[in-house]
Amino acid sequence: YRLVPEVCFPEQFHDALRATKHFLQPDVLAEYSVDPSRIAISGDSAGGNLAAAVCQQLSKDEHLTIRPKLQALIYPVLQAFDFNTPSYQQNMNMPILPRYVMINYWIDYFNGNYDLAHSLLINNHTALDVGQALSFRGRLNWTSLLPSSFKKNYKPVVQTTGKAEIIQEIPALLDVRAVPLLAENETLQLQPKSYILTCENDVLRDDGVMYAKRLENAGVEVTLDHFDDCFHGCMIFTIWPTDFSAGIQTRNSYIKWLDENL
């Protein structure tokens, strides 16, 4: 898919969806000797975002004759609604992906203004008086979606009054094609068997854990593969001289699940 700043959302989503639909055509699968009953959609980080969004979109396409058997999401980024989940609070200054960097990535993706970064950081865009966000609040209530071992002693950051103009300026903040965690239950029920890998030392940990819980609540078979001693992006570190145990164990666990389920 094309990248920022050449194009911004929703073009990356459209690129990924277009390529996937092309690949799922029977003649294309035959050309590459692909078994149409054994196809998985997978991605890591921003790719996990697109994999989840594409999978949701495909599940609603009534004309599709071949569908993915699985989705496998590796430390996916799935929401821009709450930048104060326990993992965002716990890992706000964690190397590789500190919170302010993640917020700036969202602003880049949406072609927004960096002046909004502080308001996003304190959840002004989803305050209680921001009407556009109200209907989504129940879909991302981490106090009910996360286990106590992840919630620890962190408290929700919910502003009473905020800035509705942020959503007016960047409506994509609440667009499920960009933030798949906010999808309605009816869409989640249509998702294939799912694998979600999360790491403790990662602001995005709770994105993946909450999505796994929402999918499970919707009746989808989900494997949540959590690593207490790993960090965001670690799976790329598998080749000398950066062949870290974090990369090797996450990669091996991911491939093992695919071997057993695909």
Side-chain angles (χ1 to χ4, degrees), residues 81 126 128 132-145 181-185 188 210 213-214 217:
F81 191 95
T126 53
L128 294 177
Q132 303 99 309
L134 278 180
S135 62
F136 294 99
R137 185 165 297 282
R139 302 178 191 177
L140 203 157
N141 180 6
W142 62 255
T143 63
S144 63
L145 291 171
L181 183 54
L182 297 186
E184 57 189 10
N185 288 334
L188 297 186
M210 286 190 289
K213 187 62 177 177
R214 287 203 65 207
N217 290 345

Side-chain angles (χ1 to χ4, degrees), residues 184-209:
E184 57 189 10
N185 288 334
E186 290 76 8
T187 298
L188 297 186
Q189 291 170 358
L190 302 173
Q191 300 315 295
K193 188 175 184 178
S194 301
Y195 170 92
I196 299 177
L197 187 149
T198 57
C199 296
E200 181 66 21
N201 304 301
D202 183 4
V203 292
L204 301 178
R205 178 199 69 190
D206 295 342
D207 285 26
V209 175

Side-chain angles (χ1 to χ4, degrees), residues 2 11 16 21 39 71 82 89 97 104-105 123 133 141 148 150 161 174-175 187 191 218 227 248 253 261:
R2 291 168 293 165
E11 295 310 313
K21 282 188 170 182
I39 296 171
Q71 68 173 339
D82 184 354
Q89 294 187 55
L97 190 63
N104 285 341
Y105 282 161
N123 290 344
N141 180 6
S148 57
F150 286 176
T161 57
L174 300 177
D175 189 322
T187 298
Q191 300 315 295
F227 291 84
I248 293 168
S253 190
N261 292 278

Side-chain angles (χ1 to χ4, degrees), residues 23-115:
F23 183 72
L24 289 176
Q25 296 177 104
D27 57 332
V28 176
L29 295 176
E31 180 183 348
Y32 292 100
S33 301
V34 174
D35 182 345
S37 67
R38 298 177 62 233
I39 296 171
I41 290 183
S42 185
D44 73 299
S45 195
N49 171 285
L50 288 168
V54 166
C55 215
Q56 288 183 7
Q57 192 66 30
L58 294 177
S59 72
K60 295 183 282 190
D61 188 336
E62 298 176 354
H63 303 293
L64 210 61
T65 57
I66 298 171
R67 298 180 181 278
K69 180 182 181 182
L70 310 171
Q71 68 173 339
L73 312 177
I74 302 166
Y75 30 74
V77 48
L78 299 171
Q79 60 90 22
F81 191 95
D82 184 354
F83 291 109
N84 290 275
T85 63
S87 62
Y88 263 112
Q89 294 187 55
Q90 173 182 301
N91 300 301
M92 65 174 68
N93 296 313
M94 188 62 64
I96 303 253
L97 190 63
R99 178 169 60 175
Y100 77 92
V101 170
M102 191 63 241
I103 290 173
N104 285 341
Y105 282 161
W106 277 115
I107 291 173
D108 287 338
Y109 190 34
F110 296 146
N111 196 26
N113 190 322
Y114 290 129
D115 291 343

Side-chain angles (χ1 to χ4, degrees), residues 131-258:
Q132 303 99 309
L134 278 180
S135 62
F136 294 99
R137 185 165 297 282
R139 302 178 191 177
L140 203 157
N141 180 6
W142 62 255
T143 63
S144 63
L145 291 171
L146 295 178
S148 57
S149 59
F150 286 176
K151 288 186 285 190
K152 301 184 174 73
N153 293 317
Y154 293 106
K155 305 298 181 187
V157 175
V158 182
Q159 306 295 349
T160 305
T161 57
K163 296 183 177 180
E165 59 268 26
I166 298 175
I167 300 296
Q168 293 164 6
E169 184 175 333
I170 312 179
L173 284 163
L174 300 177
D175 189 322
V176 295
R177 298 173 301 169
V179 286
L181 183 54
L182 297 186
E184 57 189 10
N185 288 334
E186 290 76 8
T187 298
L188 297 186
Q189 291 170 358
L190 302 173
Q191 300 315 295
K193 188 175 184 178
S194 301
Y195 170 92
I196 299 177
L197 187 149
T198 57
C199 296
E200 181 66 21
N201 304 301
D202 183 4
V203 292
L204 301 178
R205 178 199 69 190
D206 295 342
D207 285 26
V209 175
M210 286 190 289
Y211 196 49
K213 187 62 177 177
R214 287 203 65 207
L215 287 169
E216 184 182 89
N217 290 345
V220 176
E221 186 176 346
V222 183
T223 297
L224 177 62
D225 202 7
H226 180 68
F227 291 84
D228 278 326
D229 56 350
C230 293
F231 54 93
H232 188 82
C234 65
M235 197 182 284
I236 65 172
F237 296 107
T238 58
I239 300 173
W240 189 90
T242 57
D243 48 341
F244 300 158
S245 63
I248 293 168
Q249 63 177 315
T250 50
R251 180 198 61 189
N252 290 350
S253 190
Y254 163 68
I255 292 175
K256 181 175 183 288
W257 186 87
L258 289 175

